[in-house]
Amino acid sequence: MNYFEHFNIGDQWELGSWQVSAQEAIAFAKEYDPQPIHTDPVMAAKTPFGAIIVSGWFTTLKTGRRFIDHIMKDTAGLSSPGIEGVEWLRPVMLNEDISGFAKVLDVKESKSKPDRGKVWFEMYAENKKGQKVMSTRGLFFIARQPK
């Protein structure tokens, strides 16, 4: 189990890679982000992208799930008050190779609750060229190691 004391500014993780098929991207978009750029191949072909682009929400959730699987499921996380926005920096195309990453931005002891600390993470995804396609930052309250 990872506790507050195990996290340091600059810690980084690779969260694995994935591709999104047309079927998967369109099904997600129809349910959660039904914009034609994500669901209609004919309309999307007429845009500057030339094809359907993957919903930014989909990329964010794929990255977030990997963050949970690689870091938080083995961490004494207590809660999170939220994230500081989501940036979709480049379009993600169907079947494009995308990789997830996370890093610790800051670590502080809690002044009001000595049983925990605060860890700020950045979660982000990159394309095969190493260009960020999505980024978000969040604060997590993590329990201190039992004595």
Side-chain angles (χ1 to χ4, degrees):
M1 183 63 61
N2 294 309
Y3 294 94
F4 169 72
E5 292 82 1
H6 296 126
F7 294 96
N8 298 291
I9 295 172
D11 288 349
Q12 294 186 26
W13 298 265
E14 290 187 29
L15 307 177
S17 299
W18 65 91
Q19 291 182 343
V20 183
S21 70
Q23 181 180 1
E24 189 178 20
I26 293 169
F28 177 90
K30 283 183 177 180
E31 179 73 19
Y32 300 105
D33 193 4
Q35 299 178 64
I37 190 70
H38 303 313
T39 61
D40 183 343
V42 174
M43 179 277 190
K46 298 174 186 173
T47 70
F49 308 111
I52 284 178
I53 59 173
V54 176
S55 167
W57 290 113
F58 189 92
T59 303
T60 303
L61 292 170
K62 280 278 198 185
T63 306
R65 172 59 193 257
R66 282 162 174 76
F67 174 75
I68 299 300
D69 288 346
H70 286 83
I71 301 167
M72 295 308 292
K73 77 174 184 177
D74 296 321
T75 294
L78 298 173
S79 65
S80 172
I83 58 174
E84 298 173 12
V86 177
E87 297 174 301
W88 297 310
L89 304 164
R90 296 183 177 281
V92 173
M93 305 308 292
L94 299 176
N95 301 308
E96 184 175 9
D97 291 321
I98 301 297
S99 298
F101 299 89
K103 66 181 174 182
V104 175
L105 300 174
D106 201 3
V107 175
K108 292 187 179 172
E109 294 182 12
S110 173
K111 292 179 183 174
S112 62
K113 298 184 179 180
D115 66 330
R116 68 194 67 181
K118 300 183 275 188
V119 180
W120 285 262
F121 291 93
E122 178 187 14
M123 294 172 280
Y124 60 98
E126 293 182 351
N127 61 23
K128 195 173 183 179
K129 296 176 184 176
Q131 300 166 314
K132 279 187 184 179
V133 298
M134 185 281 306
S135 177
T136 186
R137 289 148 307 284
L139 167 61
F140 292 80
F141 300 118
I142 299 176
R144 293 182 75 89
Q145 191 164 357
K147 294 182 180 186

